[in-house]
Amino acid sequence: MEMKPVYLVDGRRTPQAKAGTVLSDVELPFLGTSLLKLLKDAHGIPTDRVDEVIIGNLGAKAKYSNVSRIVALESGLTKRTSAYTVNRNCASAMEAMAQGFLKLAFGQAQVIFAGGIESMSGMPLLYGPEMTDLFVGLMKAKTLSARWQVIKRFRPRHLKPVIAVEQGLTDPFCGLNMGQTAELLAREFGITRKEQDEFANRSHKLAVAAREEGRFGDEIVPVIGGKKLDRLIEEDFGPRKDSSAEGLGKMRPFFDRKSGTVTIGNACPITDGGALWLMCSEKAVETYGLKPMAKMLGFHFAGVEPERMGIGPVPAMGHVLKKCNMSLDQMDLIEIN
């Protein structure tokens, strides 16, 4: 079957904020609803003409297990609109767009909203198995005597929580978290602490400059946040205006405290936020008189050794360039997740 053109009509995002700060009290679906509403209304997409909403998410609360469906309904889409959530860890939003691409390319849909939302602040603390067993025992106990027998087994250590975000960032196969895998790659490729700090500092400076020049104005959709949900959050909360390579150089390694090079200053923060694309077929572009930003040509996902997870973009880029018969020197703008 011949693949049809797939267009990226428009993409918007919320401000990105460090977990535990200005977006921590925003419930997960509402990191996506404002984006969908704005994109739908701005481009005149009828409520009943959206074929699918596909959202990537890693750590939703149990009540938001299919958060994409909640976003669709909270955004006012018809109840007949299909919606589902995908999980590919850090590439979950990319997986959502890849699935949207396939459905549009093969004529299974005309209008799709695809992207990702994450509230790392909302990932819970969990009880361990011993405390869980105690709760189960109390629920099963029918008499006061039986309940007392269960309560007597309680020890303070049972209250030690299982940190969901920590587990989510740790690979169960190799037992290493993302910072530790970064340490291995830094050693493998000889990337020095100085190089990491300088690169991180450059990132802070560029982000702050772009913010001050208003270059994010067209892509950021403000969100009501703050501890009492009484503030309009319009800018990213993370890039540091006072950043310096010298200051970053004073921070201690976090993931390998003896001989490591990765710190909380030169690593990316745990973040709350969302981003969404309006993806359309050629037919939908013509029907609604849309002016797409770009055409999506292809995608590729590549697996690597779990302990080297950060190198994944390299084989992925190589494969997708080959698929599309293009080369790296043809690229004007590159974003590496």
Side-chain angles (χ1 to χ4, degrees), residues 5-12 39 43 93-94 96-98 100-102 104 110 112-115 276-282 285 290-298:
V6 175
Y7 293 97
L8 302 177
V9 177
D10 194 2
R12 302 296 176 97
L39 289 168
H43 297 284
M94 295 180 177
M97 293 186 68
F101 173 86
L102 290 174
L104 293 165
Q110 305 299 324
I112 287 178
F113 286 100
L276 202 65
W277 275 100
L278 170 58
M279 304 176 67
C280 290
S281 67
E282 191 167 47
V285 167
L290 304 174
K291 296 180 179 179
M293 295 176 66
K295 183 187 290 185
M296 185 171 174
L297 301 181

PDB file of all heavy atoms in Angstrom, residues 5-12 39 43 93-94 96-98 100-102 104 110 112-115 276-282 285 290-298:
ATOM      1  N   PRO A   5       1.076  11.345   2.286  1.00  0.00           N
ATOM      2  CA  PRO A   5       1.799  12.393   3.026  1.00  0.00           C
ATOM      3  C   PRO A   5       1.205  12.614   4.419  1.00  0.00           C
ATOM      4  O   PRO A   5      -0.010  12.531   4.603  1.00  0.00           O
ATOM      5  CB  PRO A   5       1.622  13.637   2.153  1.00  0.00           C
ATOM      6  CG  PRO A   5       1.269  13.125   0.797  1.00  0.00           C
ATOM      7  CD  PRO A   5       0.503  11.847   1.030  1.00  0.00           C
ATOM      8  N   VAL A   6       2.076  12.894   5.360  1.00  0.00           N
ATOM      9  CA  VAL A   6       1.666  13.186   6.738  1.00  0.00           C
ATOM     10  C   VAL A   6       2.196  14.570   7.108  1.00  0.00           C
ATOM     11  O   VAL A   6       3.403  14.824   6.997  1.00  0.00           O
ATOM     12  CB  VAL A   6       2.199  12.139   7.726  1.00  0.00           C
ATOM     13  CG1 VAL A   6       1.853  12.529   9.160  1.00  0.00           C
ATOM     14  CG2 VAL A   6       1.635  10.759   7.393  1.00  0.00           C
ATOM     15  N   TYR A   7       1.309  15.437   7.564  1.00  0.00           N
ATOM     16  CA  TYR A   7       1.691  16.815   7.841  1.00  0.00           C
ATOM     17  C   TYR A   7       1.643  17.129   9.336  1.00  0.00           C
ATOM     18  O   TYR A   7       0.713  16.726  10.048  1.00  0.00           O
ATOM     19  CB  TYR A   7       0.769  17.778   7.090  1.00  0.00           C
ATOM     20  CG  TYR A   7       0.946  17.703   5.586  1.00  0.00           C
ATOM     21  CD1 TYR A   7       0.090  16.918   4.813  1.00  0.00           C
ATOM     22  CD2 TYR A   7       1.968  18.398   4.954  1.00  0.00           C
ATOM     23  CE1 TYR A   7       0.261  16.829   3.435  1.00  0.00           C
ATOM     24  CE2 TYR A   7       2.147  18.318   3.585  1.00  0.00           C
ATOM     25  CZ  TYR A   7       1.287  17.533   2.832  1.00  0.00           C
ATOM     26  OH  TYR A   7       1.465  17.444   1.472  1.00  0.00           O
ATOM     27  N   LEU A   8       2.650  17.859   9.778  1.00  0.00           N
ATOM     28  CA  LEU A   8       2.678  18.425  11.128  1.00  0.00           C
ATOM     29  C   LEU A   8       2.147  19.847  11.006  1.00  0.00           C
ATOM     30  O   LEU A   8       2.846  20.741  10.527  1.00  0.00           O
ATOM     31  CB  LEU A   8       4.099  18.419  11.683  1.00  0.00           C
ATOM     32  CG  LEU A   8       4.790  17.053  11.760  1.00  0.00           C
ATOM     33  CD1 LEU A   8       6.219  17.211  12.271  1.00  0.00           C
ATOM     34  CD2 LEU A   8       4.012  16.093  12.633  1.00  0.00           C
ATOM     35  N   VAL A   9       0.894  20.026  11.405  1.00  0.00           N
ATOM     36  CA  VAL A   9       0.242  21.312  11.197  1.00  0.00           C
ATOM     37  C   VAL A   9       0.722  22.342  12.202  1.00  0.00           C
ATOM     38  O   VAL A   9       1.116  23.454  11.850  1.00  0.00           O
ATOM     39  CB  VAL A   9      -1.292  21.158  11.272  1.00  0.00           C
ATOM     40  CG1 VAL A   9      -1.975  22.527  11.133  1.00  0.00           C
ATOM     41  CG2 VAL A   9      -1.769  20.209  10.178  1.00  0.00           C
ATOM     42  N   ASP A  10       0.707  21.967  13.484  1.00  0.00           N
ATOM     43  CA  ASP A  10       1.078  22.929  14.528  1.00  0.00           C
ATOM     44  C   ASP A  10       1.379  22.161  15.808  1.00  0.00           C
ATOM     45  O   ASP A  10       0.730  21.154  16.106  1.00  0.00           O
ATOM     46  CB  ASP A  10      -0.078  23.908  14.775  1.00  0.00           C
ATOM     47  CG  ASP A  10       0.328  25.127  15.582  1.00  0.00           C
ATOM     48  OD1 ASP A  10       1.528  25.246  15.929  1.00  0.00           O
ATOM     49  OD2 ASP A  10      -0.554  25.964  15.869  1.00  0.00           O
ATOM     50  N   GLY A  11       2.351  22.643  16.560  1.00  0.00           N
ATOM     51  CA  GLY A  11       2.709  22.022  17.828  1.00  0.00           C
ATOM     52  C   GLY A  11       2.825  23.057  18.924  1.00  0.00           C
ATOM     53  O   GLY A  11       3.352  24.150  18.705  1.00  0.00           O
ATOM     54  N   ARG A  12       2.319  22.726  20.092  1.00  0.00           N
ATOM     55  CA  ARG A  12       2.410  23.632  21.243  1.00  0.00           C
ATOM     56  C   ARG A  12       2.834  22.841  22.470  1.00  0.00           C
ATOM     57  O   ARG A  12       2.699  21.619  22.522  1.00  0.00           O
ATOM     58  CB  ARG A  12       1.064  24.302  21.514  1.00  0.00           C
ATOM     59  CG  ARG A  12       0.498  25.101  20.352  1.00  0.00           C
ATOM     60  CD  ARG A  12       1.364  26.289  19.980  1.00  0.00           C
ATOM     61  NE  ARG A  12       0.835  26.979  18.809  1.00  0.00           N
ATOM     62  CZ  ARG A  12       0.054  28.060  18.872  1.00  0.00           C
ATOM     63  NH1 ARG A  12      -0.291  28.566  20.062  1.00  0.00           N
ATOM     64  NH2 ARG A  12      -0.382  28.640  17.771  1.00  0.00           N
ATOM     65  N   LEU A  39      -5.091  24.102  19.974  1.00  0.00           N
ATOM     66  CA  LEU A  39      -4.785  23.646  18.617  1.00  0.00           C
ATOM     67  C   LEU A  39      -6.058  23.394  17.818  1.00  0.00           C
ATOM     68  O   LEU A  39      -6.147  23.738  16.635  1.00  0.00           O
ATOM     69  CB  LEU A  39      -3.936  22.376  18.677  1.00  0.00           C
ATOM     70  CG  LEU A  39      -2.484  22.564  19.147  1.00  0.00           C
ATOM     71  CD1 LEU A  39      -1.845  21.213  19.435  1.00  0.00           C
ATOM     72  CD2 LEU A  39      -1.675  23.315  18.094  1.00  0.00           C
ATOM     73  N   HIS A  43      -7.223  26.129  14.613  1.00  0.00           N
ATOM     74  CA  HIS A  43      -7.206  25.668  13.226  1.00  0.00           C
ATOM     75  C   HIS A  43      -8.576  25.214  12.733  1.00  0.00           C
ATOM     76  O   HIS A  43      -8.684  24.615  11.649  1.00  0.00           O
ATOM     77  CB  HIS A  43      -6.175  24.546  13.069  1.00  0.00           C
ATOM     78  CG  HIS A  43      -4.780  25.010  13.359  1.00  0.00           C
ATOM     79  ND1 HIS A  43      -4.053  25.776  12.477  1.00  0.00           N
ATOM     80  CD2 HIS A  43      -3.995  24.866  14.467  1.00  0.00           C
ATOM     81  CE1 HIS A  43      -2.863  26.053  13.008  1.00  0.00           C
ATOM     82  NE2 HIS A  43      -2.819  25.517  14.208  1.00  0.00           N
ATOM     83  N   ALA A  93       6.412  10.201  23.913  1.00  0.00           N
ATOM     84  CA  ALA A  93       5.745  11.151  23.017  1.00  0.00           C
ATOM     85  C   ALA A  93       6.142  10.882  21.570  1.00  0.00           C
ATOM     86  O   ALA A  93       5.329  11.042  20.649  1.00  0.00           O
ATOM     87  CB  ALA A  93       6.094  12.584  23.413  1.00  0.00           C
ATOM     88  N   MET A  94       7.395  10.485  21.357  1.00  0.00           N
ATOM     89  CA  MET A  94       7.833  10.153  20.005  1.00  0.00           C
ATOM     90  C   MET A  94       7.099   8.914  19.486  1.00  0.00           C
ATOM     91  O   MET A  94       6.749   8.838  18.311  1.00  0.00           O
ATOM     92  CB  MET A  94       9.346   9.926  19.996  1.00  0.00           C
ATOM     93  CG  MET A  94      10.141  11.168  20.319  1.00  0.00           C
ATOM     94  SD  MET A  94      11.916  10.830  20.294  1.00  0.00           S
ATOM     95  CE  MET A  94      12.550  12.477  20.605  1.00  0.00           C
ATOM     96  N   ALA A  96       4.089   8.090  20.360  1.00  0.00           N
ATOM     97  CA  ALA A  96       2.737   8.556  20.048  1.00  0.00           C
ATOM     98  C   ALA A  96       2.695   9.156  18.645  1.00  0.00           C
ATOM     99  O   ALA A  96       1.781   8.884  17.856  1.00  0.00           O
ATOM    100  CB  ALA A  96       2.274   9.576  21.084  1.00  0.00           C
ATOM    101  N   MET A  97       3.690   9.971  18.308  1.00  0.00           N
ATOM    102  CA  MET A  97       3.737  10.587  16.982  1.00  0.00           C
ATOM    103  C   MET A  97       4.003   9.545  15.897  1.00  0.00           C
ATOM    104  O   MET A  97       3.467   9.639  14.789  1.00  0.00           O
ATOM    105  CB  MET A  97       4.802  11.671  16.955  1.00  0.00           C
ATOM    106  CG  MET A  97       4.480  12.858  17.827  1.00  0.00           C
ATOM    107  SD  MET A  97       5.657  14.201  17.643  1.00  0.00           S
ATOM    108  CE  MET A  97       5.313  14.731  15.964  1.00  0.00           C
ATOM    109  N   ALA A  98       4.819   8.546  16.206  1.00  0.00           N
ATOM    110  CA  ALA A  98       5.093   7.483  15.231  1.00  0.00           C
ATOM    111  C   ALA A  98       3.812   6.718  14.900  1.00  0.00           C
ATOM    112  O   ALA A  98       3.540   6.399  13.734  1.00  0.00           O
ATOM    113  CB  ALA A  98       6.159   6.530  15.775  1.00  0.00           C
ATOM    114  N   GLY A 100       0.758   7.892  15.238  1.00  0.00           N
ATOM    115  CA  GLY A 100      -0.073   8.816  14.475  1.00  0.00           C
ATOM    116  C   GLY A 100       0.347   8.870  13.015  1.00  0.00           C
ATOM    117  O   GLY A 100      -0.490   8.887  12.104  1.00  0.00           O
ATOM    118  N   PHE A 101       1.643   8.871  12.786  1.00  0.00           N
ATOM    119  CA  PHE A 101       2.186   8.882  11.422  1.00  0.00           C
ATOM    120  C   PHE A 101       1.694   7.682  10.620  1.00  0.00           C
ATOM    121  O   PHE A 101       1.235   7.807   9.486  1.00  0.00           O
ATOM    122  CB  PHE A 101       3.721   8.884  11.496  1.00  0.00           C
ATOM    123  CG  PHE A 101       4.402   8.739  10.157  1.00  0.00           C
ATOM    124  CD1 PHE A 101       4.662   9.839   9.360  1.00  0.00           C
ATOM    125  CD2 PHE A 101       4.795   7.491   9.696  1.00  0.00           C
ATOM    126  CE1 PHE A 101       5.286   9.704   8.129  1.00  0.00           C
ATOM    127  CE2 PHE A 101       5.423   7.335   8.477  1.00  0.00           C
ATOM    128  CZ  PHE A 101       5.671   8.442   7.690  1.00  0.00           C
ATOM    129  N   LEU A 102       1.780   6.493  11.220  1.00  0.00           N
ATOM    130  CA  LEU A 102       1.375   5.282  10.511  1.00  0.00           C
ATOM    131  C   LEU A 102      -0.115   5.301  10.163  1.00  0.00           C
ATOM    132  O   LEU A 102      -0.516   4.913   9.054  1.00  0.00           O
ATOM    133  CB  LEU A 102       1.698   4.054  11.366  1.00  0.00           C
ATOM    134  CG  LEU A 102       3.189   3.724  11.533  1.00  0.00           C
ATOM    135  CD1 LEU A 102       3.372   2.584  12.530  1.00  0.00           C
ATOM    136  CD2 LEU A 102       3.825   3.365  10.191  1.00  0.00           C
ATOM    137  N   LEU A 104      -2.062   7.882   9.720  1.00  0.00           N
ATOM    138  CA  LEU A 104      -2.316   8.871   8.677  1.00  0.00           C
ATOM    139  C   LEU A 104      -1.736   8.423   7.342  1.00  0.00           C
ATOM    140  O   LEU A 104      -2.375   8.564   6.290  1.00  0.00           O
ATOM    141  CB  LEU A 104      -1.717  10.221   9.087  1.00  0.00           C
ATOM    142  CG  LEU A 104      -2.380  10.910  10.285  1.00  0.00           C
ATOM    143  CD1 LEU A 104      -1.489  12.031  10.821  1.00  0.00           C
ATOM    144  CD2 LEU A 104      -3.749  11.477   9.903  1.00  0.00           C
ATOM    145  N   GLN A 110      -7.557  10.859   9.551  1.00  0.00           N
ATOM    146  CA  GLN A 110      -7.330  12.129   8.853  1.00  0.00           C
ATOM    147  C   GLN A 110      -6.800  13.212   9.795  1.00  0.00           C
ATOM    148  O   GLN A 110      -6.013  14.054   9.404  1.00  0.00           O
ATOM    149  CB  GLN A 110      -8.638  12.616   8.211  1.00  0.00           C
ATOM    150  CG  GLN A 110      -9.289  11.624   7.279  1.00  0.00           C
ATOM    151  CD  GLN A 110      -8.426  11.250   6.095  1.00  0.00           C
ATOM    152  OE1 GLN A 110      -7.691  12.077   5.559  1.00  0.00           O
ATOM    153  NE2 GLN A 110      -8.510   9.986   5.685  1.00  0.00           N
ATOM    154  N   ILE A 112      -5.266  13.704  13.820  1.00  0.00           N
ATOM    155  CA  ILE A 112      -4.789  13.073  15.055  1.00  0.00           C
ATOM    156  C   ILE A 112      -4.059  14.106  15.911  1.00  0.00           C
ATOM    157  O   ILE A 112      -3.276  14.911  15.395  1.00  0.00           O
ATOM    158  CB  ILE A 112      -3.838  11.894  14.739  1.00  0.00           C
ATOM    159  CG1 ILE A 112      -4.634  10.696  14.206  1.00  0.00           C
ATOM    160  CG2 ILE A 112      -3.028  11.480  15.976  1.00  0.00           C
ATOM    161  CD1 ILE A 112      -3.779   9.503  13.825  1.00  0.00           C
ATOM    162  N   PHE A 113      -4.326  14.072  17.198  1.00  0.00           N
ATOM    163  CA  PHE A 113      -3.514  14.832  18.148  1.00  0.00           C
ATOM    164  C   PHE A 113      -2.565  13.840  18.819  1.00  0.00           C
ATOM    165  O   PHE A 113      -3.001  12.816  19.359  1.00  0.00           O
ATOM    166  CB  PHE A 113      -4.383  15.510  19.202  1.00  0.00           C
ATOM    167  CG  PHE A 113      -5.127  16.696  18.682  1.00  0.00           C
ATOM    168  CD1 PHE A 113      -6.470  16.599  18.326  1.00  0.00           C
ATOM    169  CD2 PHE A 113      -4.489  17.920  18.522  1.00  0.00           C
ATOM    170  CE1 PHE A 113      -7.167  17.695  17.838  1.00  0.00           C
ATOM    171  CE2 PHE A 113      -5.171  19.020  18.029  1.00  0.00           C
ATOM    172  CZ  PHE A 113      -6.514  18.906  17.679  1.00  0.00           C
ATOM    173  N   ALA A 114      -1.267  14.130  18.787  1.00  0.00           N
ATOM    174  CA  ALA A 114      -0.279  13.211  19.353  1.00  0.00           C
ATOM    175  C   ALA A 114       0.808  13.997  20.074  1.00  0.00           C
ATOM    176  O   ALA A 114       1.224  15.065  19.622  1.00  0.00           O
ATOM    177  CB  ALA A 114       0.348  12.340  18.262  1.00  0.00           C
ATOM    178  N   GLY A 115       1.271  13.447  21.197  1.00  0.00           N
ATOM    179  CA  GLY A 115       2.337  14.102  21.953  1.00  0.00           C
ATOM    180  C   GLY A 115       2.567  13.401  23.269  1.00  0.00           C
ATOM    181  O   GLY A 115       2.389  12.177  23.367  1.00  0.00           O
ATOM    182  N   LEU A 276       2.130  18.803  22.463  1.00  0.00           N
ATOM    183  CA  LEU A 276       1.145  18.148  21.601  1.00  0.00           C
ATOM    184  C   LEU A 276       1.240  18.689  20.172  1.00  0.00           C
ATOM    185  O   LEU A 276       1.475  19.880  19.962  1.00  0.00           O
ATOM    186  CB  LEU A 276      -0.264  18.404  22.138  1.00  0.00           C
ATOM    187  CG  LEU A 276      -1.362  17.426  21.730  1.00  0.00           C
ATOM    188  CD1 LEU A 276      -1.085  16.030  22.301  1.00  0.00           C
ATOM    189  CD2 LEU A 276      -2.715  17.923  22.232  1.00  0.00           C
ATOM    190  N   TRP A 277       1.080  17.767  19.214  1.00  0.00           N
ATOM    191  CA  TRP A 277       1.055  18.126  17.796  1.00  0.00           C
ATOM    192  C   TRP A 277      -0.317  17.852  17.205  1.00  0.00           C
ATOM    193  O   TRP A 277      -0.966  16.865  17.557  1.00  0.00           O
ATOM    194  CB  TRP A 277       2.068  17.298  17.010  1.00  0.00           C
ATOM    195  CG  TRP A 277       3.457  17.833  16.994  1.00  0.00           C
ATOM    196  CD1 TRP A 277       4.508  17.423  17.762  1.00  0.00           C
ATOM    197  CD2 TRP A 277       3.954  18.882  16.160  1.00  0.00           C
ATOM    198  NE1 TRP A 277       5.633  18.163  17.456  1.00  0.00           N
ATOM    199  CE2 TRP A 277       5.316  19.057  16.476  1.00  0.00           C
ATOM    200  CE3 TRP A 277       3.366  19.690  15.177  1.00  0.00           C
ATOM    201  CZ2 TRP A 277       6.114  20.004  15.849  1.00  0.00           C
ATOM    202  CZ3 TRP A 277       4.172  20.633  14.547  1.00  0.00           C
ATOM    203  CH2 TRP A 277       5.532  20.789  14.885  1.00  0.00           C
ATOM    204  N   LEU A 278      -0.723  18.706  16.284  1.00  0.00           N
ATOM    205  CA  LEU A 278      -1.857  18.428  15.405  1.00  0.00           C
ATOM    206  C   LEU A 278      -1.281  17.843  14.129  1.00  0.00           C
ATOM    207  O   LEU A 278      -0.554  18.521  13.399  1.00  0.00           O
ATOM    208  CB  LEU A 278      -2.643  19.710  15.114  1.00  0.00           C
ATOM    209  CG  LEU A 278      -3.713  19.624  14.007  1.00  0.00           C
ATOM    210  CD1 LEU A 278      -4.752  18.555  14.332  1.00  0.00           C
ATOM    211  CD2 LEU A 278      -4.366  20.985  13.790  1.00  0.00           C
ATOM    212  N   MET A 279      -1.570  16.571  13.887  1.00  0.00           N
ATOM    213  CA  MET A 279      -1.062  15.849  12.728  1.00  0.00           C
ATOM    214  C   MET A 279      -2.225  15.560  11.779  1.00  0.00           C
ATOM    215  O   MET A 279      -3.279  15.098  12.214  1.00  0.00           O
ATOM    216  CB  MET A 279      -0.398  14.535  13.156  1.00  0.00           C
ATOM    217  CG  MET A 279       0.717  14.709  14.171  1.00  0.00           C
ATOM    218  SD  MET A 279       1.400  13.112  14.749  1.00  0.00           S
ATOM    219  CE  MET A 279       2.175  12.506  13.243  1.00  0.00           C
ATOM    220  N   CYS A 280      -2.041  15.841  10.497  1.00  0.00           N
ATOM    221  CA  CYS A 280      -3.140  15.706   9.545  1.00  0.00           C
ATOM    222  C   CYS A 280      -2.724  15.050   8.240  1.00  0.00           C
ATOM    223  O   CYS A 280      -1.555  15.106   7.836  1.00  0.00           O
ATOM    224  CB  CYS A 280      -3.740  17.075   9.227  1.00  0.00           C
ATOM    225  SG  CYS A 280      -4.662  17.829  10.587  1.00  0.00           S
ATOM    226  N   SER A 281      -3.702  14.472   7.583  1.00  0.00           N
ATOM    227  CA  SER A 281      -3.510  13.938   6.236  1.00  0.00           C
ATOM    228  C   SER A 281      -3.605  15.075   5.230  1.00  0.00           C
ATOM    229  O   SER A 281      -4.017  16.199   5.552  1.00  0.00           O
ATOM    230  CB  SER A 281      -4.591  12.905   5.932  1.00  0.00           C
ATOM    231  OG  SER A 281      -5.864  13.544   5.856  1.00  0.00           O
ATOM    232  N   GLU A 282      -3.244  14.771   3.999  1.00  0.00           N
ATOM    233  CA  GLU A 282      -3.349  15.774   2.934  1.00  0.00           C
ATOM    234  C   GLU A 282      -4.804  16.191   2.721  1.00  0.00           C
ATOM    235  O   GLU A 282      -5.104  17.366   2.491  1.00  0.00           O
ATOM    236  CB  GLU A 282      -2.761  15.210   1.647  1.00  0.00           C
ATOM    237  CG  GLU A 282      -2.561  16.239   0.551  1.00  0.00           C
ATOM    238  CD  GLU A 282      -1.697  15.719  -0.569  1.00  0.00           C
ATOM    239  OE1 GLU A 282      -1.940  14.577  -1.028  1.00  0.00           O
ATOM    240  OE2 GLU A 282      -0.774  16.443  -1.003  1.00  0.00           O
ATOM    241  N   VAL A 285      -5.782  18.639   5.431  1.00  0.00           N
ATOM    242  CA  VAL A 285      -5.140  19.932   5.167  1.00  0.00           C
ATOM    243  C   VAL A 285      -5.954  20.730   4.152  1.00  0.00           C
ATOM    244  O   VAL A 285      -6.194  21.937   4.315  1.00  0.00           O
ATOM    245  CB  VAL A 285      -3.694  19.725   4.677  1.00  0.00           C
ATOM    246  CG1 VAL A 285      -3.126  21.023   4.107  1.00  0.00           C
ATOM    247  CG2 VAL A 285      -2.812  19.235   5.818  1.00  0.00           C
ATOM    248  N   LEU A 290      -5.609  24.284   5.992  1.00  0.00           N
ATOM    249  CA  LEU A 290      -4.510  24.379   6.944  1.00  0.00           C
ATOM    250  C   LEU A 290      -3.190  24.722   6.250  1.00  0.00           C
ATOM    251  O   LEU A 290      -2.997  24.437   5.065  1.00  0.00           O
ATOM    252  CB  LEU A 290      -4.369  23.051   7.700  1.00  0.00           C
ATOM    253  CG  LEU A 290      -5.636  22.569   8.418  1.00  0.00           C
ATOM    254  CD1 LEU A 290      -5.417  21.188   9.004  1.00  0.00           C
ATOM    255  CD2 LEU A 290      -6.052  23.554   9.500  1.00  0.00           C
ATOM    256  N   LYS A 291      -2.295  25.324   7.006  1.00  0.00           N
ATOM    257  CA  LYS A 291      -0.950  25.641   6.516  1.00  0.00           C
ATOM    258  C   LYS A 291       0.057  24.918   7.408  1.00  0.00           C
ATOM    259  O   LYS A 291       0.491  25.453   8.431  1.00  0.00           O
ATOM    260  CB  LYS A 291      -0.708  27.143   6.536  1.00  0.00           C
ATOM    261  CG  LYS A 291      -1.629  27.911   5.593  1.00  0.00           C
ATOM    262  CD  LYS A 291      -1.351  29.408   5.650  1.00  0.00           C
ATOM    263  CE  LYS A 291      -2.271  30.161   4.690  1.00  0.00           C
ATOM    264  NZ  LYS A 291      -2.019  31.638   4.742  1.00  0.00           N
ATOM    265  N   PRO A 292       0.457  23.706   7.037  1.00  0.00           N
ATOM    266  CA  PRO A 292       1.346  22.906   7.890  1.00  0.00           C
ATOM    267  C   PRO A 292       2.714  23.542   8.092  1.00  0.00           C
ATOM    268  O   PRO A 292       3.217  24.272   7.228  1.00  0.00           O
ATOM    269  CB  PRO A 292       1.472  21.584   7.117  1.00  0.00           C
ATOM    270  CG  PRO A 292       0.295  21.557   6.198  1.00  0.00           C
ATOM    271  CD  PRO A 292       0.043  22.987   5.831  1.00  0.00           C
ATOM    272  N   MET A 293       3.298  23.261   9.256  1.00  0.00           N
ATOM    273  CA  MET A 293       4.655  23.695   9.539  1.00  0.00           C
ATOM    274  C   MET A 293       5.675  22.815   8.833  1.00  0.00           C
ATOM    275  O   MET A 293       6.750  23.266   8.447  1.00  0.00           O
ATOM    276  CB  MET A 293       4.919  23.659  11.043  1.00  0.00           C
ATOM    277  CG  MET A 293       4.098  24.636  11.850  1.00  0.00           C
ATOM    278  SD  MET A 293       4.373  24.452  13.633  1.00  0.00           S
ATOM    279  CE  MET A 293       6.087  24.948  13.759  1.00  0.00           C
ATOM    280  N   ALA A 294       5.331  21.531   8.681  1.00  0.00           N
ATOM    281  CA  ALA A 294       6.304  20.588   8.125  1.00  0.00           C
ATOM    282  C   ALA A 294       5.600  19.321   7.665  1.00  0.00           C
ATOM    283  O   ALA A 294       4.416  19.096   7.953  1.00  0.00           O
ATOM    284  CB  ALA A 294       7.361  20.232   9.179  1.00  0.00           C
ATOM    285  N   LYS A 295       6.334  18.507   6.918  1.00  0.00           N
ATOM    286  CA  LYS A 295       5.875  17.177   6.532  1.00  0.00           C
ATOM    287  C   LYS A 295       6.740  16.162   7.273  1.00  0.00           C
ATOM    288  O   LYS A 295       7.963  16.290   7.320  1.00  0.00           O
ATOM    289  CB  LYS A 295       6.020  16.983   5.025  1.00  0.00           C
ATOM    290  CG  LYS A 295       5.487  15.635   4.534  1.00  0.00           C
ATOM    291  CD  LYS A 295       5.795  15.412   3.052  1.00  0.00           C
ATOM    292  CE  LYS A 295       4.986  16.339   2.184  1.00  0.00           C
ATOM    293  NZ  LYS A 295       5.200  16.038   0.741  1.00  0.00           N
ATOM    294  N   MET A 296       6.093  15.166   7.879  1.00  0.00           N
ATOM    295  CA  MET A 296       6.838  14.115   8.577  1.00  0.00           C
ATOM    296  C   MET A 296       7.165  13.015   7.580  1.00  0.00           C
ATOM    297  O   MET A 296       6.275  12.463   6.926  1.00  0.00           O
ATOM    298  CB  MET A 296       6.011  13.568   9.745  1.00  0.00           C
ATOM    299  CG  MET A 296       6.763  12.560  10.607  1.00  0.00           C
ATOM    300  SD  MET A 296       5.831  12.158  12.124  1.00  0.00           S
ATOM    301  CE  MET A 296       6.853  10.842  12.794  1.00  0.00           C
ATOM    302  N   LEU A 297       8.450  12.685   7.442  1.00  0.00           N
ATOM    303  CA  LEU A 297       8.890  11.737   6.425  1.00  0.00           C
ATOM    304  C   LEU A 297       9.085  10.319   6.945  1.00  0.00           C
ATOM    305  O   LEU A 297       8.955   9.360   6.185  1.00  0.00           O
ATOM    306  CB  LEU A 297      10.202  12.219   5.802  1.00  0.00           C
ATOM    307  CG  LEU A 297      10.160  13.596   5.121  1.00  0.00           C
ATOM    308  CD1 LEU A 297      11.524  13.924   4.537  1.00  0.00           C
ATOM    309  CD2 LEU A 297       9.092  13.624   4.035  1.00  0.00           C
ATOM    310  N   GLY A 298       9.427  10.161   8.202  1.00  0.00           N
ATOM    311  CA  GLY A 298       9.667   8.810   8.701  1.00  0.00           C
ATOM    312  C   GLY A 298      10.126   8.822  10.138  1.00  0.00           C
ATOM    313  O   GLY A 298      10.266   9.874  10.767  1.00  0.00           O
TER     314      GLY A 298
END
